[in-house]
Amino acid sequence: MPTVEELYRNYGILADATEQVGQHKDAYQVILDGVKGGTKEKRLAAQFIPKFFKHFPELADSAINAQLDLCEDEDVSIRRQAIKELPQFATGENLPRVADILTQLLQTDDSAEFNLVNNALLSIFKMDAKGTLGGLFSQILQGEDIVRERAIKFLSTKLKTLPDEVLTKEVEELILTESKKVLEDVTGEEFVLFMKILSGLKSLQTVSGRQQLVELVAEQADLEQTFNPSDPDCVDRLLQCTRQAVPLFSKNVHSTRFVTYFCEQVLPNLSSLTTPVEGLDIQLEVLKLLAEMSSFCGDMEKLETNLRKLFDKLLEYMPLPPEEAENGENAGNEEPKLQFSYVECLLYSFHQLGRKLPDFLTAKLNAEKLKDFKIRLQYFARGLQVYIRQLRLALQGKTGEALKTEENKIKVVALKITNNINVLIKDLFHIPPSYKSTVTLSWKPVQKVEIGQKRANEDTTSGSPPKKSSAGPKRDARQIYNPPSGKYSSNLSNFNYGN
C-alpha cells in the first residue's frame, strides 16, 4: 500500500516522462494501488489515476475499477473528487461504460454529488451522444427503479440544453428507437416525461413527426381493444394517453381516430365509468377531452354514426320541460337539473362534427325527433337566459381583486359556460341549423387576435398517461390528475345563483 510520498514520487516519474510515459507501467500501478490506502492516499489517487489513464490501455479495466471504488468510498470528499474526474475515462469504447457508471451514480442523495454526476454526464454527452445514450438507456431498461427514474428525468430536463451539433438527426433517431423500447412498460409519470422528451426533438416538430407521436400515443392507449368502463386502469390509461395526444392535434394532424373511439366506446358507457382518482368528475373529464379533440377531426368514415351517438348523449342532458298540472303548477316535485358544464362539452363537440354533415338535423332525423330537440333547446335556453342575467348582475362593476375571490372565479367560469351554450344554441335554432359561430371553451385561455392576423390553433395543456397493459401497470407509480375546473350545474327552479 503506497504512502503519500510514494504516490507523489511516482506521479513525478510519469509527469517527467512526457512522450515515454507509457513505458512506466510500474509507476502507474503504484498510483492504482493508492485506492487501498487512507483518506489522503485515496484523494491523490482520485486525481492521479485519470490524468495518465490514456497512456496505459492495457490497464484500462483496472484503472476504471479503481476509480469506481473511489466513487463509492465512505468519505464524501473522495467520492466527489472521483466523480468529477470520471469524464477523463470516457474515451473510445470505454465511453458507454462510463456513461453507464455515471447513470448509476444518479441515485446519490448528496446534492453536490448529484450535480457533479449531471455535469459529468453532460460533458461526455458532448463527446459522444450515441455512446452516452447507450449507457443511459441501458440503465433505464435494466437498472433499479431509482436509477431508472432519475435517468429519465435527466433526459427530460437536459436534452433541451444541448446544442444542435450534439443532437443530430441520427442521435434523435436513436432516442426515438430506444424510447419505443422503454414505452412497452411505463408508468403514467414516465409516459408524460417521454412524451416531453420526444415532442422536444427537432425531427418530430414536423407534421409527419407529430403524426408519428400521435400514433405512438394511440398504441399506448390501446385503441384497438374494446373499452372496459368498469376497469379503473383501462379508463385511466385512456384519459392519460388522450391528454398527451391533444396538444399534438392540428389542422394537419387529425384527431379522428381518438374521436371515433370516444364516440363509439366511451360515450355509451359514460355513466358507468370508474376511476382510481379520488374526487375526479370522470364524466366531465371525458367530455372535455372529446370537446378539445372535436375541432381537429379529418375525414371520418363513421361521421353520421358518431354524430348520432353524440346527439343521443346530448339529449340526455337537455331535458324536456316538466308537464304542467291542471292548476298551471309543475306536475313534478322539482325542476330537472341542468348540467351546464356537460352540455357545453357535448354541444361544442356536436357543433364541430355537425359542420362536416350540415344536413344531419334536417335530412337525417325524422320530423318528430327534430321537433323534440327544438323543444329541449328552447326549454334549456330559457333557463340559460335567467342564469346569464343573474351572473352578469352578480359580477357587474367587479374588477381586479374582487374578481379573484373563489366565489367570483366560479361565477366568471359559469358565465363563460352559459354564454358559450347560448351562442351554440342560437346557431342550431337557425333554419336550417348553422355551424358558423366560434367559441372558446370555458376552461381554455382566450386568445387575443391582432388585426390582420389569423387566429392560431389552440393548443391544449395535457396531463398524464400510463402504461400499455389492460391488467394494470407493471410499475406501481401512477400520475394523478388535477381535478378539472369549471364544473357548473344547477336546478332550473333555483334561480338564485348564490344559493
Side-chain angles (χ1 to χ4, degrees), residues 298-373:
D299 294 334
M300 191 181 291
E301 289 182 14
K302 302 178 180 178
L303 176 58
E304 185 177 346
T305 303
N306 290 336
L307 263 172
R308 192 170 297 282
K309 288 183 182 295
L310 256 175
F311 181 78
D312 290 344
K313 184 56 65 174
L314 177 60
L315 291 183
E316 291 181 24
Y317 293 97
M318 300 197 78
L320 286 165
E323 294 181 9
E324 291 188 359
E326 291 181 4
N327 59 3
E329 297 293 329
N330 287 338
N333 293 327
E334 60 180 30
E335 298 278 1
K337 190 174 184 181
L338 304 182
Q339 302 271 19
F340 291 120
S341 294
Y342 290 17
V343 170
E344 179 197 18
C345 298
L346 285 163
L347 203 55
Y348 181 88
S349 300
F350 179 79
H351 193 267
Q352 292 296 315
L353 265 62
R355 290 176 177 176
K356 297 180 177 295
L357 193 62
D359 61 346
F360 175 80
L361 285 174
T362 52
K364 301 297 180 183
L365 288 177
N366 59 50
E368 278 304 310
K369 201 155 191 178
L370 181 56
K371 181 182 176 183
D372 172 82
F373 183 49

Coordinates of all heavy atoms in Angstrom, one line a residue, residues 298-373:
G298 N -60.5 14.8 -39.1 CA -60.4 14.8 -40.5 C -61.6 14.1 -41.1 O -62.6 14.0 -40.5
D299 N -61.4 13.5 -42.3 CA -62.5 12.8 -42.9 C -62.8 11.6 -42.0 O -61.9 10.8 -41.6 CB -62.1 12.3 -44.3 CG -61.9 13.5 -45.3 OD1 -62.6 14.5 -45.0 OD2 -61.1 13.4 -46.2
M300 N -64.1 11.3 -41.8 CA -64.4 10.3 -40.8 C -65.4 9.3 -41.5 O -66.5 9.7 -41.9 CB -65.1 11.0 -39.6 CG -65.3 10.0 -38.4 SD -66.0 10.9 -37.0 CE -64.7 12.0 -36.5
E301 N -65.0 8.1 -41.6 CA -65.9 7.1 -42.2 C -67.3 6.9 -41.5 O -68.3 6.8 -42.1 CB -65.2 5.7 -42.2 CG -64.0 5.6 -43.1 CD -63.4 4.2 -43.1 OE1 -64.1 3.3 -42.6 OE2 -62.3 4.0 -43.6
K302 N -67.2 7.0 -40.2 CA -68.5 6.8 -39.4 C -69.0 8.1 -38.9 O -69.5 8.2 -37.7 CB -68.2 5.8 -38.3 CG -67.7 4.5 -38.8 CD -67.3 3.5 -37.6 CE -66.8 2.2 -38.1 NZ -66.5 1.3 -37.0
L303 N -68.9 9.2 -39.7 CA -69.3 10.5 -39.2 C -70.8 10.5 -38.7 O -71.1 11.0 -37.7 CB -69.1 11.5 -40.3 CG -69.6 13.0 -40.0 CD1 -68.9 13.5 -38.8 CD2 -69.3 13.9 -41.2
E304 N -71.7 10.0 -39.5 CA -73.1 10.0 -39.2 C -73.3 9.2 -37.9 O -74.1 9.6 -37.0 CB -73.9 9.5 -40.3 CG -75.4 9.6 -40.0 CD -76.3 9.1 -41.2 OE1 -75.7 8.9 -42.3 OE2 -77.5 8.9 -41.0
T305 N -72.7 8.1 -37.8 CA -72.8 7.2 -36.6 C -72.3 8.0 -35.4 O -73.0 8.0 -34.3 CB -72.1 5.9 -36.7 OG1 -72.5 5.2 -37.9 CG2 -72.3 5.0 -35.5
N306 N -71.2 8.6 -35.5 CA -70.6 9.3 -34.3 C -71.5 10.5 -34.0 O -71.7 10.8 -32.8 CB -69.2 9.8 -34.7 CG -68.2 8.7 -34.8 OD1 -68.4 7.6 -34.2 ND2 -67.1 8.9 -35.5
L307 N -72.0 11.2 -35.0 CA -72.9 12.3 -34.7 C -74.2 11.9 -34.0 O -74.6 12.5 -33.1 CB -73.3 13.0 -36.0 CG -72.5 14.3 -36.4 CD1 -72.8 14.7 -37.8 CD2 -72.7 15.4 -35.4
R308 N -74.7 10.7 -34.4 CA -75.9 10.2 -33.8 C -75.6 9.9 -32.3 O -76.5 10.1 -31.4 CB -76.4 9.0 -34.5 CG -77.8 8.6 -34.1 CD -78.4 7.5 -35.1 NE -78.5 8.1 -36.4 CZ -79.5 8.8 -36.8 NH1 -80.4 9.2 -35.9 NH2 -79.6 9.3 -38.0
K309 N -74.5 9.3 -32.0 CA -74.1 8.9 -30.6 C -74.0 10.2 -29.8 O -74.4 10.2 -28.6 CB -72.9 8.1 -30.6 CG -73.1 6.6 -31.1 CD -71.9 5.8 -31.0 CE -72.1 4.4 -31.6 NZ -73.1 3.6 -30.9
L310 N -73.3 11.2 -30.4 CA -73.2 12.5 -29.7 C -74.5 13.1 -29.4 O -74.8 13.6 -28.3 CB -72.3 13.4 -30.6 CG -70.9 13.6 -30.2 CD1 -70.2 14.5 -31.2 CD2 -70.7 14.3 -28.8
F311 N -75.4 13.1 -30.5 CA -76.7 13.7 -30.4 C -77.5 13.0 -29.3 O -78.2 13.6 -28.4 CB -77.4 13.6 -31.7 CG -78.8 14.2 -31.7 CD1 -78.9 15.5 -31.8 CD2 -79.9 13.4 -31.7 CE1 -80.2 16.1 -31.9 CE2 -81.2 13.9 -31.7 CZ -81.3 15.3 -31.8
D312 N -77.5 11.7 -29.2 CA -78.3 10.9 -28.2 C -77.8 11.2 -26.8 O -78.6 11.3 -25.9 CB -78.1 9.4 -28.5 CG -78.9 9.0 -29.7 OD1 -79.7 9.8 -30.2 OD2 -78.6 7.9 -30.3
K313 N -76.4 11.4 -26.7 CA -75.9 11.7 -25.3 C -76.2 13.1 -25.0 O -76.6 13.4 -23.8 CB -74.4 11.5 -25.4 CG -73.7 11.7 -24.0 CD -74.3 10.8 -22.9 CE -74.0 9.3 -23.2 NZ -74.4 8.5 -22.1
L314 N -76.3 14.0 -25.9 CA -76.6 15.4 -25.7 C -78.1 15.5 -25.2 O -78.4 16.2 -24.2 CB -76.4 16.2 -26.9 CG -76.8 17.7 -26.9 CD1 -76.1 18.5 -25.8 CD2 -76.7 18.3 -28.3
L315 N -79.0 14.7 -25.8 CA -80.4 14.7 -25.4 C -80.5 14.3 -23.9 O -81.4 14.8 -23.2 CB -81.2 13.8 -26.3 CG -81.4 14.2 -27.7 CD1 -82.3 13.2 -28.4 CD2 -82.0 15.6 -27.8
E316 N -79.7 13.4 -23.4 CA -79.7 13.0 -22.0 C -79.6 14.2 -21.1 O -80.0 14.1 -19.9 CB -78.7 11.9 -21.7 CG -78.9 10.6 -22.4 CD -77.9 9.6 -22.1 OE1 -77.2 9.7 -21.0 OE2 -77.6 8.7 -22.9
Y317 N -78.8 15.2 -21.5 CA -78.5 16.3 -20.6 C -79.3 17.6 -21.0 O -79.1 18.6 -20.4 CB -77.0 16.7 -20.7 CG -76.2 15.6 -20.1 CD1 -75.6 14.6 -20.9 CD2 -76.0 15.5 -18.7 CE1 -74.8 13.6 -20.3 CE2 -75.2 14.5 -18.1 CZ -74.6 13.5 -19.0 OH -73.9 12.5 -18.4
M318 N -80.3 17.4 -21.9 CA -81.1 18.5 -22.3 C -82.6 18.1 -22.1 O -83.2 17.6 -23.0 CB -80.9 19.0 -23.7 CG -79.5 19.4 -24.0 SD -79.3 20.4 -25.5 CE -79.9 22.0 -25.0
P319 N -83.1 18.2 -20.9 CA -84.4 17.6 -20.6 C -85.6 18.3 -21.2 O -85.5 19.5 -21.7 CB -84.5 17.8 -19.0 CG -83.6 19.0 -18.8 CD -82.5 18.9 -19.8
L320 N -86.7 17.6 -21.3 CA -87.9 18.2 -21.8 C -88.5 19.1 -20.7 O -88.3 18.8 -19.5 CB -88.9 17.1 -22.2 CG -88.6 16.4 -23.5 CD1 -89.5 15.1 -23.6 CD2 -89.0 17.3 -24.7
P321 N -89.3 20.1 -21.0 CA -90.0 20.8 -19.9 C -90.9 19.9 -19.1 O -91.5 19.0 -19.6 CB -90.8 21.9 -20.7 CG -90.3 21.8 -22.1 CD -89.7 20.5 -22.3
P322 N -91.0 20.2 -17.8 CA -91.9 19.4 -17.0 C -93.3 19.6 -17.3 O -93.7 20.7 -17.8 CB -91.6 19.8 -15.5 CG -91.0 21.2 -15.7 CD -90.3 21.2 -17.0
E323 N -94.1 18.6 -17.2 CA -95.5 18.7 -17.6 C -96.3 19.6 -16.5 O -95.9 19.5 -15.4 CB -96.2 17.3 -17.7 CG -95.7 16.5 -18.8 CD -96.3 15.1 -18.8 OE1 -97.4 15.0 -18.1 OE2 -95.9 14.2 -19.6
E324 N -97.2 20.4 -17.0 CA -98.0 21.2 -16.1 C -99.2 20.5 -15.7 O -99.9 19.8 -16.4 CB -98.3 22.5 -16.8 CG -97.1 23.4 -17.0 CD -97.5 24.8 -17.5 OE1 -98.8 25.0 -17.7 OE2 -96.7 25.6 -17.8
A325 N -99.5 20.7 -14.4 CA -100.8 20.2 -13.8 C -101.9 21.1 -14.3 O -101.7 22.2 -14.9 CB -100.7 20.1 -12.3
E326 N -103.2 20.7 -14.0 CA -104.3 21.5 -14.4 C -104.3 22.9 -13.8 O -104.8 23.8 -14.4 CB -105.6 20.8 -13.9 CG -105.9 19.5 -14.7 CD -107.1 18.8 -14.3 OE1 -107.9 19.4 -13.5 OE2 -107.4 17.7 -14.8
N327 N -103.8 23.1 -12.6 CA -103.7 24.4 -12.0 C -102.6 25.3 -12.5 O -102.4 26.4 -12.0 CB -103.6 24.3 -10.5 CG -102.4 23.5 -10.0 OD1 -101.6 23.1 -10.8 ND2 -102.3 23.3 -8.7
G328 N -101.8 24.8 -13.5 CA -100.7 25.5 -14.0 C -99.4 25.3 -13.3 O -98.4 25.8 -13.8
E329 N -99.4 24.6 -12.2 CA -98.2 24.3 -11.5 C -97.5 23.2 -12.1 O -98.1 22.4 -12.9 CB -98.5 24.0 -10.0 CG -99.1 25.2 -9.2 CD -98.1 26.4 -9.1 OE1 -96.9 26.1 -9.0 OE2 -98.6 27.5 -9.0
N330 N -96.2 23.0 -11.8 CA -95.5 21.8 -12.3 C -96.0 20.6 -11.7 O -96.2 20.5 -10.5 CB -94.0 22.0 -12.0 CG -93.3 23.0 -12.8 OD1 -93.8 23.4 -13.9 ND2 -92.2 23.5 -12.4
A331 N -96.2 19.6 -12.5 CA -96.8 18.3 -12.0 C -95.7 17.6 -11.2 O -96.1 16.9 -10.2 CB -97.2 17.4 -13.2
G332 N -94.5 17.7 -11.5 CA -93.4 17.0 -10.8 C -93.1 17.8 -9.5 O -93.5 18.9 -9.3
N333 N -92.3 17.1 -8.6 CA -91.9 17.8 -7.4 C -90.8 18.8 -7.6 O -90.7 19.8 -6.8 CB -91.4 16.7 -6.4 CG -92.5 15.8 -6.0 OD1 -93.6 16.2 -5.9 ND2 -92.1 14.5 -5.7
E334 N -90.0 18.7 -8.6 CA -88.9 19.6 -8.8 C -88.5 19.7 -10.3 O -88.8 18.8 -11.1 CB -87.6 19.2 -8.0 CG -87.1 17.8 -8.4 CD -85.8 17.5 -7.6 OE1 -85.8 17.9 -6.4 OE2 -85.0 16.8 -8.1
E335 N -87.9 20.8 -10.6 CA -87.5 21.1 -12.0 C -86.3 20.1 -12.3 O -85.5 19.8 -11.4 CB -87.0 22.5 -12.2 CG -88.1 23.5 -11.9 CD -89.0 23.7 -13.2 OE1 -88.7 23.0 -14.1 OE2 -89.9 24.5 -13.1
P336 N -86.0 19.8 -13.6 CA -84.9 19.0 -13.9 C -83.6 19.7 -13.6 O -83.5 21.0 -13.6 CB -85.0 18.8 -15.4 CG -86.4 19.2 -15.8 CD -86.9 20.1 -14.7
K337 N -82.6 19.0 -13.3 CA -81.2 19.6 -13.0 C -80.5 19.8 -14.4 O -80.5 18.9 -15.2 CB -80.4 18.7 -12.1 CG -79.1 19.3 -11.6 CD -78.4 18.4 -10.6 CE -77.2 19.1 -10.0 NZ -76.5 18.3 -9.1
L338 N -80.0 21.0 -14.6 CA -79.3 21.3 -15.8 C -77.8 21.2 -15.6 O -77.3 22.0 -14.8 CB -79.7 22.7 -16.3 CG -81.2 22.9 -16.5 CD1 -81.5 24.4 -17.0 CD2 -81.8 21.9 -17.4
Q339 N -77.2 20.3 -16.3 CA -75.7 20.2 -16.2 C -75.0 21.0 -17.3 O -74.7 20.6 -18.3 CB -75.4 18.7 -16.4 CG -76.1 17.7 -15.5 CD -75.2 17.5 -14.2 OE1 -74.3 18.3 -13.9 NE2 -75.5 16.5 -13.5
F340 N -74.8 22.3 -16.9 CA -74.3 23.2 -17.9 C -72.9 22.8 -18.4 O -72.6 23.0 -19.6 CB -74.3 24.6 -17.4 CG -75.6 25.2 -17.2 CD1 -76.0 25.6 -15.9 CD2 -76.5 25.4 -18.2 CE1 -77.3 26.2 -15.7 CE2 -77.7 26.0 -18.0 CZ -78.2 26.3 -16.8
S341 N -72.0 22.4 -17.5 CA -70.7 22.0 -18.0 C -70.7 20.9 -18.9 O -70.0 20.9 -19.9 CB -69.8 21.6 -16.7 OG -69.6 22.7 -15.9
Y342 N -71.5 19.9 -18.7 CA -71.6 18.7 -19.6 C -72.2 19.1 -20.9 O -71.7 18.7 -22.0 CB -72.6 17.6 -19.0 CG -72.0 16.9 -17.8 CD1 -70.9 17.4 -17.0 CD2 -72.6 15.7 -17.3 CE1 -70.4 16.8 -15.9 CE2 -72.1 15.0 -16.2 CZ -71.0 15.6 -15.5 OH -70.5 14.9 -14.4
V343 N -73.2 20.0 -20.9 CA -73.9 20.4 -22.1 C -72.9 21.2 -23.0 O -72.9 21.1 -24.2 CB -75.2 21.2 -21.8 CG1 -75.7 21.9 -23.1 CG2 -76.2 20.3 -21.2
E344 N -72.1 22.1 -22.3 CA -71.2 22.9 -23.1 C -70.2 22.0 -23.9 O -70.0 22.2 -25.1 CB -70.3 23.7 -22.2 CG -69.2 24.6 -23.0 CD -68.1 25.1 -22.1 OE1 -67.9 24.6 -21.0 OE2 -67.4 26.0 -22.5
C345 N -69.7 20.9 -23.3 CA -68.8 20.0 -24.0 C -69.5 19.3 -25.1 O -69.0 19.2 -26.2 CB -68.2 19.0 -23.0 SG -67.2 19.7 -21.7
L346 N -70.7 18.7 -24.8 CA -71.4 17.9 -25.8 C -71.9 18.7 -27.0 O -71.8 18.4 -28.1 CB -72.5 17.2 -25.1 CG -72.2 15.9 -24.3 CD1 -73.3 15.6 -23.3 CD2 -71.7 14.8 -25.2
L347 N -72.4 19.9 -26.6 CA -72.9 20.8 -27.7 C -71.8 21.3 -28.6 O -72.0 21.4 -29.8 CB -73.6 22.0 -27.0 CG -74.7 22.7 -27.8 CD1 -75.8 21.8 -28.3 CD2 -75.4 23.8 -27.0
Y348 N -70.7 21.6 -28.0 CA -69.5 22.1 -28.8 C -69.0 20.9 -29.7 O -68.8 21.2 -30.9 CB -68.4 22.5 -27.8 CG -67.1 23.0 -28.5 CD1 -67.0 24.3 -28.9 CD2 -66.1 22.1 -28.8 CE1 -65.9 24.8 -29.5 CE2 -64.9 22.6 -29.5 CZ -64.9 23.9 -29.8 OH -63.7 24.4 -30.5
S349 N -68.9 19.7 -29.1 CA -68.5 18.6 -30.0 C -69.4 18.3 -31.1 O -69.0 18.1 -32.3 CB -68.4 17.3 -29.1 OG -67.4 17.5 -28.0
F350 N -70.7 18.4 -30.8 CA -71.8 18.2 -31.8 C -71.7 19.3 -32.9 O -71.8 19.0 -34.1 CB -73.2 18.1 -31.2 CG -74.3 18.0 -32.2 CD1 -74.6 16.7 -32.7 CD2 -75.0 19.0 -32.6 CE1 -75.6 16.5 -33.6 CE2 -76.0 18.9 -33.5 CZ -76.3 17.6 -34.0
H351 N -71.5 20.5 -32.4 CA -71.4 21.6 -33.4 C -70.2 21.5 -34.3 O -70.2 21.8 -35.5 CB -71.2 22.9 -32.5 CG -71.4 24.2 -33.3 ND1 -70.4 24.9 -33.8 CD2 -72.5 24.9 -33.6 CE1 -70.8 26.0 -34.4 NE2 -72.1 26.0 -34.3
Q352 N -69.0 21.0 -33.7 CA -67.8 20.8 -34.5 C -68.0 19.7 -35.6 O -67.6 19.9 -36.7 CB -66.6 20.5 -33.6 CG -66.2 21.7 -32.7 CD -65.7 22.9 -33.5 OE1 -64.9 22.7 -34.4 NE2 -66.1 24.0 -33.1
L353 N -68.5 18.6 -35.2 CA -68.7 17.5 -36.1 C -69.8 17.8 -37.1 O -69.8 17.3 -38.2 CB -69.0 16.2 -35.3 CG -67.7 15.3 -35.1 CD1 -66.7 16.0 -34.2 CD2 -68.2 14.0 -34.4
G354 N -70.9 18.5 -36.6 CA -72.0 18.9 -37.4 C -71.6 19.7 -38.6 O -72.3 19.6 -39.7
R355 N -70.5 20.4 -38.6 CA -70.1 21.2 -39.7 C -69.7 20.3 -40.9 O -69.8 20.7 -42.0 CB -68.8 22.0 -39.3 CG -69.0 23.1 -38.4 CD -67.7 23.8 -38.0 NE -68.0 24.9 -37.1 CZ -67.0 25.7 -36.5 NH1 -65.7 25.3 -36.8 NH2 -67.3 26.7 -35.8
K356 N -69.3 19.1 -40.6 CA -68.9 18.2 -41.6 C -70.1 17.5 -42.3 O -70.0 16.8 -43.3 CB -68.0 17.1 -41.1 CG -66.7 17.7 -40.6 CD -65.7 16.6 -40.0 CE -64.4 17.3 -39.6 NZ -63.7 17.8 -40.8
L357 N -71.3 17.5 -41.6 CA -72.5 16.9 -42.1 C -73.7 17.9 -41.8 O -74.5 17.6 -40.9 CB -72.7 15.5 -41.5 CG -73.8 14.6 -42.1 CD1 -73.4 14.3 -43.6 CD2 -73.9 13.3 -41.3
P358 N -73.8 19.0 -42.4 CA -74.7 20.1 -42.0 C -76.2 19.7 -42.2 O -77.0 20.3 -41.6 CB -74.3 21.3 -42.9 CG -73.5 20.7 -44.1 CD -72.9 19.4 -43.5
D359 N -76.5 18.7 -43.0 CA -77.9 18.3 -43.1 C -78.3 17.2 -42.1 O -79.4 16.7 -42.3 CB -78.2 17.9 -44.6 CG -77.4 16.7 -45.0 OD1 -76.4 16.3 -44.3 OD2 -77.7 16.1 -46.0
F360 N -77.5 16.9 -41.2 CA -77.8 15.8 -40.2 C -79.1 16.1 -39.5 O -79.9 15.2 -39.4 CB -76.6 15.7 -39.2 CG -76.9 14.7 -38.1 CD1 -76.7 13.4 -38.3 CD2 -77.3 15.1 -36.8 CE1 -77.0 12.4 -37.3 CE2 -77.6 14.2 -35.8 CZ -77.4 12.9 -36.1
L361 N -79.3 17.3 -39.0 CA -80.5 17.6 -38.2 C -81.8 17.7 -39.1 O -82.9 17.6 -38.6 CB -80.3 18.9 -37.4 CG -79.4 18.8 -36.2 CD1 -79.2 20.2 -35.6 CD2 -80.0 17.9 -35.2
T362 N -81.6 18.0 -40.4 CA -82.8 18.2 -41.2 C -83.1 17.0 -42.0 O -84.2 16.5 -42.1 CB -82.5 19.4 -42.1 OG1 -81.3 19.2 -42.8 CG2 -82.5 20.7 -41.3
A363 N -82.1 16.4 -42.7 CA -82.4 15.3 -43.7 C -82.3 13.9 -43.0 O -82.9 13.0 -43.4 CB -81.4 15.4 -44.8
K364 N -81.5 13.8 -41.9 CA -81.2 12.5 -41.4 C -82.1 12.2 -40.2 O -82.1 11.0 -39.8 CB -79.7 12.5 -40.9 CG -78.7 12.7 -42.1 CD -78.8 11.7 -43.2 CE -77.8 11.9 -44.3 NZ -78.0 10.9 -45.4
L365 N -82.7 13.1 -39.6 CA -83.6 12.8 -38.5 C -85.1 13.0 -38.9 O -85.4 13.9 -39.7 CB -83.3 13.8 -37.3 CG -82.0 13.5 -36.6 CD1 -81.8 14.6 -35.5 CD2 -82.0 12.2 -36.0
N366 N -86.0 12.2 -38.4 CA -87.4 12.4 -38.7 C -87.9 13.6 -38.0 O -87.3 14.2 -37.1 CB -88.2 11.1 -38.3 CG -88.1 10.8 -36.8 OD1 -88.3 11.7 -36.0 ND2 -87.8 9.6 -36.5
A367 N -89.0 14.1 -38.5 CA -89.6 15.4 -38.1 C -89.9 15.4 -36.6 O -89.6 16.4 -35.9 CB -90.9 15.7 -38.8
E368 N -90.4 14.3 -36.0 CA -90.7 14.2 -34.6 C -89.5 14.4 -33.7 O -89.5 15.1 -32.7 CB -91.4 12.8 -34.3 CG -92.8 12.8 -34.6 CD -93.6 13.9 -33.9 OE1 -93.5 14.1 -32.7 OE2 -94.4 14.6 -34.6
K369 N -88.4 13.7 -34.1 CA -87.1 13.8 -33.3 C -86.6 15.3 -33.4 O -86.1 15.8 -32.4 CB -86.1 12.8 -33.9 CG -85.0 12.5 -32.8 CD -84.4 11.1 -33.1 CE -83.6 10.7 -31.9 NZ -83.0 9.4 -32.1
L370 N -86.7 15.9 -34.5 CA -86.2 17.3 -34.7 C -87.0 18.2 -33.8 O -86.5 19.1 -33.1 CB -86.2 17.7 -36.1 CG -85.7 19.1 -36.4 CD1 -84.3 19.3 -35.8 CD2 -85.7 19.4 -37.9
K371 N -88.4 18.0 -33.9 CA -89.3 18.8 -33.1 C -89.0 18.6 -31.6 O -89.0 19.6 -30.8 CB -90.7 18.4 -33.4 CG -91.8 19.2 -32.6 CD -93.2 18.6 -32.9 CE -94.2 19.4 -32.1 NZ -95.6 18.8 -32.4
D372 N -88.7 17.4 -31.2 CA -88.4 17.1 -29.8 C -87.1 17.9 -29.4 O -87.0 18.5 -28.3 CB -88.2 15.6 -29.6 CG -87.6 15.2 -28.2 OD1 -88.4 15.1 -27.3 OD2 -86.4 15.0 -28.1
F373 N -86.1 17.9 -30.3 CA -84.8 18.5 -30.0 C -85.0 20.0 -29.8 O -84.5 20.7 -28.9 CB -83.8 18.2 -31.1 CG -82.5 18.8 -30.9 CD1 -81.8 18.6 -29.6 CD2 -81.8 19.5 -31.9 CE1 -80.5 19.1 -29.4 CE2 -80.6 20.0 -31.7 CZ -79.9 19.8 -30.4

